[in-house]
Amino acid sequence: MSTGPGADSAPGPDTHDIPTGVDTPPAPEKQGRNIRTSRMFSSLQVRNYRLFFIGQVVSNIGTWMQRIAQDWLVLTLTASSAAVGITTALQFLPMLLFGLYGGVLVDRLRKRPTLLVTQSAMALTSLALAALTLTGQVEVWHVYVAAFVTGLATVVDNPARQSFVAELVGPGQLQNAVSLNSANFQSARLVGPAVAGLLITGVGTGWAFLLNGLSFIAPLAGLMMMRARELHAVTPSPRGKGQLREGLRYVAGRPELVWPIVLVGFIGTFAFNFPVYLSAFADDVFHGGAGVYSLFNTLMAVGSLAGALLAARRGTARLRLLILAALAFGGLEIVAAGAPTLWLFALLMIPIGLFAMTVNVTTNTSIQMSTDPAVRGRVMALYMMVFLGGAPVGAPIVGWITDTYGARLGFAVGGAVAALAAAVIGLILARVGNLRLTVGWTRGHPQVRFVPRERQRELTAVA
């Protein structure tokens, strides 16, 4: 990665003022790059990224084990979906409160030493919760504290990891590496919940916490084994006044950054509260146990993995795709809310996971590719703050709706918010870019496109 102004990774709008990524073809000089990055596993050829990837495989399995065990432990201790929502809220509250300051800090620090500290802190937190649970001393407030401390580490860890990927592979492989990171996380989601379900039913939740704490050894070892000379390092920003405002002004002047962040804010706040929704469906609607909850998460991970691998092949991140995926995601949540049987609901988790991951990867990649490396930490912190920080607001709300009116209505409300936000923001992006929606058929398949209004008039005249 260039340590200069970041021209290679921060394309600007074209002469028609269409926001980057809405539906614009790649510039001729970037077509070769798109061909290279479209290879599904090309970024794994980079040794440093390969070490990072392997470490994350192990750690992510532990993370998913802990997520399932933590949710089920709280539900067991309290018999309340709202309490599960409070746990989720506490884990993401630090991101909401301090996320922007975490981004400023990340832009000032070297990424690898920063990650060594944050990953160690999360490992120690998991080991402490394991000790409390295995000795029979755990209470719900212990889980709340552990969730909050993990959230504090995440304030710095998340933007540091997001930014560090670009330093590992450079701008030419960024799309592929971001997609493979998501595939990595979702692959672990296939294994982690299944192992967690076996551990919970067999020996108890404490062992899941213990194994998660030990799993951090892998990413820590990978970070220490990397070759510093092969990193595409960005010179840290010097300490100065107004850096937070500078980052906000940078985002505010770019609609290709603002509106995707707003969209994922609505989705993250109301539609991505799966610990609340799925635990309630497993326990209250279908009267299953931890195994059913684990099944839901595993099937969603199948879809999410497929979505991440498709993104790795695509090589581009267009905002048109983001809007359509968000619409499909919200609509499928509404359909799933009314599913009459357990197996139909479970099978719907696969396409829901696919479109959820498409939203996630497309937003992440389009934002990173459109951002100057000098402010990437602050921009990614804002993105993560809005995406993850919405949970402290949304989780208690949807938890209350779920407890009061039932899991079906709670899930349907989350899907409706996602679909409505996607429709409104899609129209805003089209208006900002002077675009018009067109629907047609190409080779027997429906095609939905945004085209410039001038071109639409030409097509109408020809027709």
Side-chain angles (χ1 to χ4, degrees):
M1 178 189 299
S2 169
T3 57
D8 285 340
S9 58
D14 65 13
T15 56
H16 295 288
D17 292 325
I18 300 173
T20 300
V22 172
D23 196 26
T24 56
E29 66 271 18
K30 296 189 179 181
Q31 289 176 352
R33 177 187 302 169
N34 287 339
I35 292 173
R36 290 195 301 272
T37 58
S38 66
R39 291 180 299 168
M40 188 174 291
F41 302 105
S42 59
S43 55
L44 288 175
Q45 297 174 10
V46 180
R47 179 182 181 276
N48 282 345
Y49 179 74
R50 193 163 58 246
L51 289 170
F52 179 82
F53 185 90
I54 293 171
Q56 290 300 305
V57 168
V58 178
S59 181
N60 285 335
I61 291 173
T63 296
W64 276 110
M65 290 170 57
Q66 172 134 342
R67 284 192 178 189
I68 302 300
Q70 176 179 280
D71 297 338
W72 202 255
L73 177 60
V74 171
L75 197 62
T76 302
L77 292 173
T78 65
S80 170
S81 294
V84 177
I86 291 171
T87 307
T88 303
L90 286 171
Q91 186 157 337
F92 296 118
L93 180 62
M95 181 65 71
L96 180 63
L97 296 178
F98 312 117
L100 291 177
Y101 296 99
V104 172
L105 188 61
V106 166
D107 279 337
R108 293 175 179 174
L109 299 173
R110 296 285 183 184
K111 306 302 184 295
R112 187 164 60 144
T114 301
L115 288 172
L116 286 169
V117 173
T118 57
Q119 296 279 295
S120 298
M122 289 188 283
L124 292 173
T125 302
S126 297
L127 292 173
L129 187 58
L132 288 168
T133 307
L134 290 172
T135 58
Q137 304 299 314
V138 70
E139 298 180 18
V140 69
W141 71 267
H142 293 141
V143 185
Y144 289 165
V145 170
F148 186 76
V149 172
T150 300
L152 286 174
T154 302
V155 167
V156 176
D157 185 80
N158 253 332
R161 276 191 297 109
Q162 299 287 341
S163 303
F164 191 52
V165 171
E167 296 193 10
L168 290 169
V169 300
Q173 297 279 17
L174 182 57
Q175 161 78 14
N176 184 260
V178 170
S179 300
L180 287 183
N181 273 358
S182 299
N184 182 332
F185 190 67
Q186 299 308 323
S187 298
R189 192 175 180 180
L190 292 172
V191 179
V195 176
L198 292 174
L199 288 173
I200 293 169
T201 56
V203 294
T205 55
W207 290 97
F209 300 141
L210 176 62
L211 290 178
N212 179 50
L214 295 176
S215 73
F216 282 95
I217 294 173
L220 289 171
L223 288 166
M224 295 175 67
M225 292 169 62
M226 289 178 184
R227 296 170 181 164
R229 65 180 181 277
E230 296 178 7
L231 293 173
H232 300 257
V234 176
T235 302
S237 299
R239 183 184 299 271
K241 294 182 179 180
Q243 289 179 319
L244 179 57
R245 292 192 298 273
E246 177 189 357
L248 293 175
R249 284 196 300 268
Y250 180 88
V251 173
R254 291 164 173 78
E256 71 272 18
L257 298 179
V258 170
W259 292 112
I261 289 175
V262 171
L263 176 58
V264 299
F266 279 104
I267 293 175
T269 300
F270 296 101
F272 266 43
N273 284 288
F274 296 116
V276 177
Y277 296 135
L278 300 188
S279 62
F281 267 87
D283 195 40
D284 300 332
V285 177
F286 298 117
H287 308 292
V292 173
Y293 180 47
S294 176
L295 172 67
F296 292 159
N297 280 276
T298 300
L299 289 175
M300 184 174 289
V302 171
S304 298
L305 176 59
L309 291 176
L310 287 172
R313 290 187 60 186
R314 228 177 354 254
T316 58
R318 300 184 178 215
L319 296 186
R320 175 188 65 181
L321 177 63
L322 171 61
I323 298 300
L324 294 177
L327 283 168
F329 169 71
L332 283 167
E333 282 201 348
I334 296 172
V335 172
T341 65
L342 184 153
W343 286 108
L344 178 57
F345 181 85
L347 289 175
L348 284 169
M349 293 300 102
I350 297 175
I352 286 175
L354 188 151
F355 285 108
M357 183 50 54
T358 302
V359 170
N360 192 345
V361 172
T362 304
T363 308
N364 189 315
T365 307
S366 65
I367 289 174
Q368 289 216 49
M369 294 294 289
S370 301
T371 301
D372 190 310
V375 296
R376 185 171 283 142
R378 279 163 282 180
V379 174
M380 294 309 297
L382 177 61
Y383 161 64
M384 298 306 298
M385 184 193 77
V386 173
F387 186 33
L388 300 180
V393 177
I397 294 174
V398 300
W400 174 80
I401 294 173
T402 299
D403 278 344
T404 305
Y405 300 102
R408 294 189 184 277
L409 181 61
F411 205 21
V413 168
V417 170
L420 180 61
V424 172
I425 291 172
L427 292 174
I428 291 173
L429 283 170
R431 185 176 181 84
V432 168
N434 195 30
L435 303 175
R436 183 187 295 273
L437 179 69
T438 65
V439 180
W441 289 81
T442 301
R443 297 179 181 176
H445 299 284
Q447 186 177 54
V448 181
R449 302 172 61 197
F450 284 110
V451 300
R453 292 181 183 272
E454 294 79 3
R455 183 180 173 189
Q456 173 67 22
R457 284 195 289 269
E458 292 173 4
L459 294 174
T460 304
V462 171

